[in-house]
Amino acid sequence: MKMIYTLFLFALLSSACCHAFVNDFCVANLKGPDGPSGYECKPPNTVTVDDFVFSGFVAGNTSGGAAVTPAFVTELPGVNGLGISAARLDIAKGGFVPVHSHTASSEILIMVKGEITAGFITPSAAYQKTLKPGDVMVFPQGLLHFQVNSGKGKATAFLAFSNPSPGVQLLDLLLFGNNLPSQLISQTTLLDYAQVKKLKAIFGGRG
């Protein structure tokens, strides 16, 4: 029993030390490559306070229905390696954010203005809720989710992510923005062939 306790303690300490920062921070060197562990660090003598500040967190252009203003590592280099980032979401009346996923990040939505109906889908269930100012909703990593302005005016929310580069995969773009044969997509999605061709034309797909 003592040996098991010792091994458990060793594993716990090893895990803690492996995830600890050697430095206080690692401001992203955006001139270098972005790898699985993030960007390389800028030399400490080149870091300034502006690396930790993003001043563009303002409403985006919602003429297309919705606008996301990101504060990811490319806009805020100071979040590199910290496992966090943020964005601002503005949705025009009747607008929406289509079904999408973030394979590398969970997401939290914090309602500020208006009304948004949001939800996510799992293999066994769908979860949706109409959110109003003061409401907070979480979308687990990798799950398909959406946001729709269900109110009478513009809606605004702030988003938080568990990755400096959360990435995004739009379901419609993945399905219809590719060069797979339309017949193959029709067979594998049970959609009508003519509808697949129409959607491919919309999303820039070929085949």
Side-chain angles (χ1 to χ4, degrees), residues 29-30 40 44 64 79 87 127 153 206:
N29 177 11
L30 298 178
E40 295 182 351
V79 301
Y127 303 88
R206 303 186 307 278

Side-chain angles (χ1 to χ4, degrees), residues 108-159:
I108 288 178
L109 182 150
I110 305 167
M111 280 296 300
V112 174
K113 177 183 177 182
E115 183 178 289
I116 291 176
T117 297
F120 62 90
I121 306 164
T122 75
S124 59
Y127 303 88
Q128 72 169 42
K129 183 79 172 181
T130 296
L131 308 173
K132 298 182 179 180
D135 290 341
V136 177
M137 185 170 184
V138 62
F139 306 93
Q141 179 174 330
L143 295 184
L144 292 171
H145 58 285
F146 61 87
Q147 292 99 17
V148 176
N149 185 338
S150 52
K152 298 180 179 180
K154 177 182 172 183
T156 300
F158 291 111
L159 310 174

Side-chain angles (χ1 to χ4, degrees), residues 169-180:
Q169 292 187 334
L170 296 173
L171 180 60
D172 288 340
L173 191 59
L174 285 173
L175 284 174
F176 308 112
N178 56 63
N179 59 357
L180 290 173

Side-chain angles (χ1 to χ4, degrees), residues 6-171:
T6 302
L7 290 173
F8 172 76
L9 186 60
F10 176 76
L12 186 64
L13 292 174
S14 297
S15 175
C17 76
C18 291
H19 290 87
F21 283 112
V22 175
N23 302 311
D24 293 321
F25 50 78
C26 175
V27 173
N29 177 11
L30 298 178
K31 296 180 180 179
D34 182 14
S37 58
Y39 288 90
E40 295 182 351
C41 306
K42 287 177 62 174
N45 62 342
T46 67
V47 173
T48 72
V49 68
D50 291 331
D51 290 315
F52 304 96
V53 177
F54 175 62
S55 301
F57 225 40
V58 296
N61 183 355
T62 59
S63 60
V68 176
T69 305
F72 301 157
V73 66
T74 47
E75 294 78 29
L76 186 57
V79 301
N80 188 52
L82 299 182
I84 56 172
S85 60
R88 172 176 173 149
L89 173 62
D90 293 282
I91 310 179
K93 181 181 178 180
F96 62 93
V97 178
V99 176
H100 64 285
S101 67
H102 307 286
T103 57
S105 175
S106 296
E107 174 184 342
I108 288 178
L109 182 150
I110 305 167
M111 280 296 300
V112 174
K113 177 183 177 182
E115 183 178 289
I116 291 176
T117 297
F120 62 90
I121 306 164
T122 75
S124 59
Y127 303 88
Q128 72 169 42
K129 183 79 172 181
T130 296
L131 308 173
K132 298 182 179 180
D135 290 341
V136 177
M137 185 170 184
V138 62
F139 306 93
Q141 179 174 330
L143 295 184
L144 292 171
H145 58 285
F146 61 87
Q147 292 99 17
V148 176
N149 185 338
S150 52
K152 298 180 179 180
K154 177 182 172 183
T156 300
F158 291 111
L159 310 174
F161 299 91
S162 60
N163 193 306
S165 301
V168 64
Q169 292 187 334
L170 296 173
L171 180 60

